[in-house]
Amino acid sequence: MTTPTPPLHIGILLFDDVEELDAVGPWEVLSYWTRSHPEDGYVVSCISSDGRAVTAAKGLVIGAHESFADAPALEVLVHPGGGGTRLLMRDPDHLAWVRQQREVVPLMTSVCTGSLVFAAAGLLAGRPATTHWGAMDELRRLDSTIEVREDDRWVDDGDLITASGVSAGIDMALHLVARLAGPDRARQVRRGIQYDPQPPV
């Protein structure tokens, strides 16, 4: 009899003033995937520093599954953006936590201004990255060695992926599924959540 392999954990960070879709967009993609295809061996949960709910940028209250202390070892970390990143990128405790995750988490990802936190923590030095269109200059100011890619929806640099603003987190999460479980699985997830962008305006 073989012992079941423990699932690999994907954590989506939550914090006050997080941009809703930065977190919930990847959650929709990744939770649909992991719940519909548990055989792929991944689970996803939301984490906050103290394990409590957060109030997002537009007033939505979002609950966390775990605190930093209680969260399992992560295979992937998703760091969303939003107004709250302006505090986090100047918070030495949070930056220390991000650097600690960098040492043990195989794949770090960000959405929108989450990349500003990564830059402030020193994770993007000498690497290609993107962010929300309105924060490109801020990303450059944080670290002039970053190769800022303004036109990319996401930038995959191996063990670190950055996505541009808000809805780009959905695209990044689908790319993540393709990386971890193959393009066919990602297409199944895209169809399952009926994601087929055709802007009406």
Side-chain angles (χ1 to χ4, degrees):
M1 180 180 294
T2 59
T3 303
T5 302
L8 300 170
H9 289 264
I10 302 172
I12 299 177
L13 178 65
L14 298 178
F15 49 88
D16 283 330
D17 212 15
V18 64
E19 184 64 37
E20 281 88 344
L21 197 58
D22 283 9
V24 177
W27 170 261
E28 177 66 29
V29 171
L30 298 172
S31 64
Y32 183 92
W33 166 43
T34 56
R35 290 168 182 258
S36 299
H37 300 282
E39 68 274 17
D40 290 343
Y42 285 85
V43 296
V44 60
S45 61
C46 292
I47 59 176
S48 67
S49 61
D50 57 8
R52 297 179 181 176
V54 304
T55 301
K58 298 175 181 69
L60 182 66
V61 176
I62 310 175
H65 300 95
E66 295 114 5
S67 68
F68 287 179
D70 297 333
L74 299 178
E75 187 72 11
V76 182
L77 173 66
V78 179
H79 195 307
T85 57
R86 298 320 197 274
L87 293 176
L88 295 180
M89 60 191 279
R90 295 172 176 84
D91 181 340
D93 291 337
H94 185 74
L95 295 179
W97 180 81
V98 169
R99 294 184 190 107
Q100 181 184 37
Q101 298 311 298
R102 169 71 287 183
E103 293 178 1
V104 296
V105 178
L107 180 54
M108 302 280 284
T109 76
S110 69
V111 183
C112 195
T113 55
S115 61
L116 300 182
V117 178
F118 282 2
L123 272 57
L124 300 182
R127 305 186 69 160
T130 192
T131 190
H132 187 277
W133 62 265
M136 294 292 179
D137 289 342
E138 193 171 0
L139 184 60
R140 290 187 180 95
R141 285 194 296 270
L142 281 166
D143 186 340
S144 62
T145 71
I146 298 171
E147 179 192 335
V148 179
R149 296 189 179 174
E150 295 192 16
D151 298 325
D152 292 357
R153 287 285 277 177
W154 74 87
V155 175
D156 186 332
D157 193 38
D159 59 353
L160 202 150
I161 302 174
T162 55
S164 58
V166 197
S167 64
I170 298 173
D171 295 354
M172 185 275 290
L174 284 168
H175 170 71
L176 188 58
V177 175
R179 262 191 60 165
L180 299 177
D184 286 344
R185 181 69 83 227
R187 282 189 282 270
Q188 291 171 336
V189 173
R190 183 193 61 78
R191 179 170 174 78
I193 65 172
Q194 200 159 3
Y195 179 59
D196 187 15
Q198 296 182 25
V201 294

